[in-house]
Amino acid sequence: MADLSGKNILVLGGSRGIGAAIVRRFAAGGGKVAFTYAGSKDAAATLAKETGAEAIHTDSADRKALIATVAGRGALDVLVANAGTAILGDPLTLDPDAIDRLIDVNVRAPYHAAVEAARKMNRDGRIIVIGSVNGDRMPFAGGAAYALSKSAVQGMVRGLARDLGERGITVISVQPGPTDSDMNPADGPMASLMHSFMAIKRHARADEIAELTAYLAGPHGAMITGSMQTIDGGFGA
């Protein structure tokens, strides 16, 4: 188990799914964890009570509020940008405002949060963005906007890794494939289609994503930067 004792950690989008699993894992590893939530107040309160983490209401689409939250945590050791949204459907009929919000949450938020965290981040810090294998592969129709946002994360990670490397700060994207969550349940209507593309034909568990994230945040992740760490059961193979 990666030792995160005493580390100052902020997880953006931590109340449910993969984010909640990351909060649990980092708290179990000894970290001083805070996490943000937008709409899941009850889930956030329950998780905070369970783990001892601090829940902070922040909408990642609100740039000023997001930057203020990051700045308010002081010198971070680990920032995990997990908040994300998915919109699938015919691009000719999708609401443009909804697509703009997707880009705000999935692209602009991790960029601005990472830059703000880097202002005070401790040497050898970690910036980890939860991306998606759909940044590499979009094998079905209707996912153009989502794939666009996750491909943008890849370029951001590569660039920021160069910018921050002299301070020993690593910047990485964890790229899950289908993962059991409210947004993509293992028994959902698209499960069979997704499994058909995979070598291991099941959804990942959120705790499996959290364990990889914890490894990257720990001491053994010091030379892993500017890269996409894919955990997708062979979806993109």
Side-chain angles (χ1 to χ4, degrees), residues 32 47 52 59 64 69 73 79 96 104 133 144 151 183-184 195 209 213 224 227 230 234:
K32 177 187 174 186
L47 182 64
D59 183 350
K64 290 182 179 179
T69 294
R73 302 308 300 174
L79 171 71
D104 285 343
V133 68
S151 294
M183 190 166 65
N184 184 11
H195 296 170
I209 312 305
T213 305
I224 303 172
S227 63
T230 300

mmCIF file of all heavy atoms in Angstrom, residues 32 47 52 59 64 69 73 79 96 104 133 144 151 183-184 195 209 213 224 227 230 234:
data_model
loop_
_atom_site.group_PDB
_atom_site.id
_atom_site.type_symbol
_atom_site.label_atom_id
_atom_site.label_comp_id
_atom_site.label_asym_id
_atom_site.label_seq_id
_atom_site.Cartn_x
_atom_site.Cartn_y
_atom_site.Cartn_z
ATOM 1 N N LYS A 32 -3.956 13.529 4.430
ATOM 2 C CA LYS A 32 -4.878 14.565 4.888
ATOM 3 C C LYS A 32 -5.696 14.976 3.671
ATOM 4 O O LYS A 32 -5.238 15.734 2.836
ATOM 5 C CB LYS A 32 -4.107 15.753 5.456
ATOM 6 C CG LYS A 32 -4.978 16.917 5.887
ATOM 7 C CD LYS A 32 -4.122 18.124 6.273
ATOM 8 C CE LYS A 32 -4.995 19.343 6.568
ATOM 9 N NZ LYS A 32 -4.170 20.557 6.816
ATOM 10 N N LEU A 47 -19.487 10.340 3.055
ATOM 11 C CA LEU A 47 -18.096 9.974 2.798
ATOM 12 C C LEU A 47 -17.152 10.701 3.754
ATOM 13 O O LEU A 47 -16.183 10.114 4.247
ATOM 14 C CB LEU A 47 -17.732 10.291 1.353
ATOM 15 C CG LEU A 47 -16.324 9.922 0.908
ATOM 16 C CD1 LEU A 47 -16.125 8.410 0.966
ATOM 17 C CD2 LEU A 47 -16.051 10.443 -0.500
ATOM 18 N N GLY A 52 -13.102 10.744 7.429
ATOM 19 C CA GLY A 52 -12.426 11.845 8.095
ATOM 20 C C GLY A 52 -11.937 12.905 7.135
ATOM 21 O O GLY A 52 -11.270 13.872 7.546
ATOM 22 N N ASP A 59 -18.316 23.789 -7.602
ATOM 23 C CA ASP A 59 -18.670 23.370 -8.950
ATOM 24 C C ASP A 59 -17.442 23.567 -9.833
ATOM 25 O O ASP A 59 -16.961 24.690 -10.011
ATOM 26 C CB ASP A 59 -19.842 24.207 -9.468
ATOM 27 C CG ASP A 59 -20.326 23.768 -10.847
ATOM 28 O OD1 ASP A 59 -19.646 22.951 -11.499
ATOM 29 O OD2 ASP A 59 -21.380 24.265 -11.283
ATOM 30 N N LYS A 64 -13.651 30.577 -11.079
ATOM 31 C CA LYS A 64 -13.219 31.382 -9.943
ATOM 32 C C LYS A 64 -13.369 30.616 -8.632
ATOM 33 O O LYS A 64 -12.482 30.651 -7.774
ATOM 34 C CB LYS A 64 -13.998 32.696 -9.894
ATOM 35 C CG LYS A 64 -13.639 33.652 -11.018
ATOM 36 C CD LYS A 64 -14.395 34.966 -10.891
ATOM 37 C CE LYS A 64 -14.011 35.925 -12.006
ATOM 38 N NZ LYS A 64 -14.767 37.217 -11.900
ATOM 39 N N THR A 69 -10.860 27.411 -4.251
ATOM 40 C CA THR A 69 -10.789 26.180 -3.448
ATOM 41 C C THR A 69 -9.392 25.600 -3.459
ATOM 42 O O THR A 69 -8.848 25.212 -2.412
ATOM 43 C CB THR A 69 -11.803 25.152 -3.962
ATOM 44 O OG1 THR A 69 -13.128 25.642 -3.740
ATOM 45 C CG2 THR A 69 -11.652 23.813 -3.253
ATOM 46 N N ARG A 73 -6.275 25.477 -0.112
ATOM 47 C CA ARG A 73 -5.694 24.272 0.508
ATOM 48 C C ARG A 73 -4.205 24.426 0.782
ATOM 49 O O ARG A 73 -3.571 23.518 1.314
ATOM 50 C CB ARG A 73 -5.920 23.038 -0.375
ATOM 51 C CG ARG A 73 -7.370 22.728 -0.687
ATOM 52 C CD ARG A 73 -8.231 22.657 0.546
ATOM 53 N NE ARG A 73 -7.787 21.627 1.478
ATOM 54 C CZ ARG A 73 -8.300 21.451 2.676
ATOM 55 N NH1 ARG A 73 -9.254 22.259 3.114
ATOM 56 N NH2 ARG A 73 -7.852 20.485 3.459
ATOM 57 N N LEU A 79 -2.737 16.622 -6.089
ATOM 58 C CA LEU A 79 -4.014 17.073 -6.634
ATOM 59 C C LEU A 79 -4.520 15.995 -7.581
ATOM 60 O O LEU A 79 -3.793 15.575 -8.490
ATOM 61 C CB LEU A 79 -3.853 18.381 -7.408
ATOM 62 C CG LEU A 79 -5.096 18.830 -8.199
ATOM 63 C CD1 LEU A 79 -6.196 19.313 -7.249
ATOM 64 C CD2 LEU A 79 -4.751 19.912 -9.211
ATOM 65 N N PRO A 96 -25.723 22.719 -27.441
ATOM 66 C CA PRO A 96 -24.387 23.314 -27.427
ATOM 67 C C PRO A 96 -23.959 23.807 -26.047
ATOM 68 O O PRO A 96 -22.775 23.738 -25.703
ATOM 69 C CB PRO A 96 -24.497 24.475 -28.423
ATOM 70 C CG PRO A 96 -25.634 24.112 -29.314
ATOM 71 C CD PRO A 96 -26.596 23.363 -28.445
ATOM 72 N N ASP A 104 -15.933 22.730 -20.031
ATOM 73 C CA ASP A 104 -15.551 23.446 -18.808
ATOM 74 C C ASP A 104 -15.107 22.478 -17.711
ATOM 75 O O ASP A 104 -14.099 22.697 -17.044
ATOM 76 C CB ASP A 104 -16.730 24.283 -18.295
ATOM 77 C CG ASP A 104 -16.967 25.541 -19.112
ATOM 78 O OD1 ASP A 104 -16.063 25.955 -19.858
ATOM 79 O OD2 ASP A 104 -18.079 26.103 -19.007
ATOM 80 N N VAL A 133 -9.852 6.126 -21.566
ATOM 81 C CA VAL A 133 -9.343 5.447 -22.748
ATOM 82 C C VAL A 133 -9.990 6.000 -24.013
ATOM 83 O O VAL A 133 -9.439 5.861 -25.112
ATOM 84 C CB VAL A 133 -9.560 3.922 -22.632
ATOM 85 C CG1 VAL A 133 -11.047 3.577 -22.693
ATOM 86 C CG2 VAL A 133 -8.783 3.170 -23.719
ATOM 87 N N ALA A 144 -18.263 11.996 -29.693
ATOM 88 C CA ALA A 144 -17.253 12.920 -30.207
ATOM 89 C C ALA A 144 -16.831 13.960 -29.167
ATOM 90 O O ALA A 144 -15.639 14.192 -28.954
ATOM 91 C CB ALA A 144 -17.767 13.625 -31.464
ATOM 92 N N SER A 151 -9.048 13.636 -25.071
ATOM 93 C CA SER A 151 -7.833 13.829 -25.854
ATOM 94 C C SER A 151 -7.144 15.136 -25.474
ATOM 95 O O SER A 151 -5.908 15.205 -25.434
ATOM 96 C CB SER A 151 -8.157 13.825 -27.348
ATOM 97 O OG SER A 151 -8.623 12.557 -27.775
ATOM 98 N N MET A 183 -22.596 6.730 -13.506
ATOM 99 C CA MET A 183 -22.598 7.219 -14.880
ATOM 100 C C MET A 183 -22.512 6.086 -15.895
ATOM 101 O O MET A 183 -23.001 6.194 -17.019
ATOM 102 C CB MET A 183 -21.430 8.194 -15.080
ATOM 103 C CG MET A 183 -21.450 8.960 -16.383
ATOM 104 S SD MET A 183 -20.301 10.361 -16.395
ATOM 105 C CE MET A 183 -18.716 9.545 -16.267
ATOM 106 N N ASN A 184 -21.895 4.969 -15.504
ATOM 107 C CA ASN A 184 -21.674 3.855 -16.425
ATOM 108 C C ASN A 184 -21.790 2.534 -15.666
ATOM 109 O O ASN A 184 -20.802 1.844 -15.423
ATOM 110 C CB ASN A 184 -20.286 3.986 -17.071
ATOM 111 C CG ASN A 184 -20.030 2.913 -18.109
ATOM 112 O OD1 ASN A 184 -20.922 2.183 -18.520
ATOM 113 N ND2 ASN A 184 -18.775 2.817 -18.530
ATOM 114 N N HIS A 195 -18.182 -4.384 -23.419
ATOM 115 C CA HIS A 195 -17.441 -5.614 -23.132
ATOM 116 C C HIS A 195 -16.975 -6.299 -24.412
ATOM 117 O O HIS A 195 -15.948 -6.997 -24.409
ATOM 118 C CB HIS A 195 -18.292 -6.571 -22.304
ATOM 119 C CG HIS A 195 -18.631 -6.040 -20.945
ATOM 120 N ND1 HIS A 195 -19.549 -6.656 -20.118
ATOM 121 C CD2 HIS A 195 -18.177 -4.956 -20.255
ATOM 122 C CE1 HIS A 195 -19.650 -5.953 -18.989
ATOM 123 N NE2 HIS A 195 -18.830 -4.933 -19.054
ATOM 124 N N ILE A 209 -9.251 1.436 -9.885
ATOM 125 C CA ILE A 209 -8.746 2.715 -10.397
ATOM 126 C C ILE A 209 -8.060 3.479 -9.272
ATOM 127 O O ILE A 209 -6.999 4.093 -9.460
ATOM 128 C CB ILE A 209 -9.887 3.544 -10.998
ATOM 129 C CG1 ILE A 209 -10.756 2.713 -11.951
ATOM 130 C CG2 ILE A 209 -9.332 4.780 -11.693
ATOM 131 C CD1 ILE A 209 -10.029 2.039 -13.070
ATOM 132 N N THR A 213 -4.144 4.939 -8.906
ATOM 133 C CA THR A 213 -3.947 6.362 -8.619
ATOM 134 C C THR A 213 -3.076 6.544 -7.382
ATOM 135 O O THR A 213 -2.181 7.413 -7.351
ATOM 136 C CB THR A 213 -5.307 7.051 -8.427
ATOM 137 O OG1 THR A 213 -6.128 6.804 -9.575
ATOM 138 C CG2 THR A 213 -5.152 8.557 -8.264
ATOM 139 N N ILE A 224 7.242 8.769 -13.159
ATOM 140 C CA ILE A 224 6.142 8.566 -14.115
ATOM 141 C C ILE A 224 5.485 9.914 -14.344
ATOM 142 O O ILE A 224 4.762 10.425 -13.484
ATOM 143 C CB ILE A 224 5.133 7.544 -13.582
ATOM 144 C CG1 ILE A 224 5.830 6.214 -13.264
ATOM 145 C CG2 ILE A 224 4.012 7.316 -14.600
ATOM 146 C CD1 ILE A 224 4.949 5.209 -12.559
ATOM 147 N N SER A 227 2.621 11.097 -19.044
ATOM 148 C CA SER A 227 2.156 9.870 -19.687
ATOM 149 C C SER A 227 0.729 9.537 -19.304
ATOM 150 O O SER A 227 0.188 10.064 -18.332
ATOM 151 C CB SER A 227 3.074 8.693 -19.321
ATOM 152 O OG SER A 227 3.032 8.441 -17.934
ATOM 153 N N THR A 230 -3.110 3.735 -18.638
ATOM 154 C CA THR A 230 -4.401 3.186 -19.048
ATOM 155 C C THR A 230 -4.740 1.929 -18.254
ATOM 156 O O THR A 230 -3.901 1.045 -18.096
ATOM 157 C CB THR A 230 -4.393 2.887 -20.560
ATOM 158 O OG1 THR A 230 -4.139 4.107 -21.256
ATOM 159 C CG2 THR A 230 -5.741 2.327 -21.007
ATOM 160 N N GLY A 234 -8.158 -3.896 -21.656
ATOM 161 C CA GLY A 234 -7.901 -4.163 -23.062
ATOM 162 C C GLY A 234 -8.858 -3.497 -24.029
ATOM 163 O O GLY A 234 -8.847 -3.803 -25.224
#
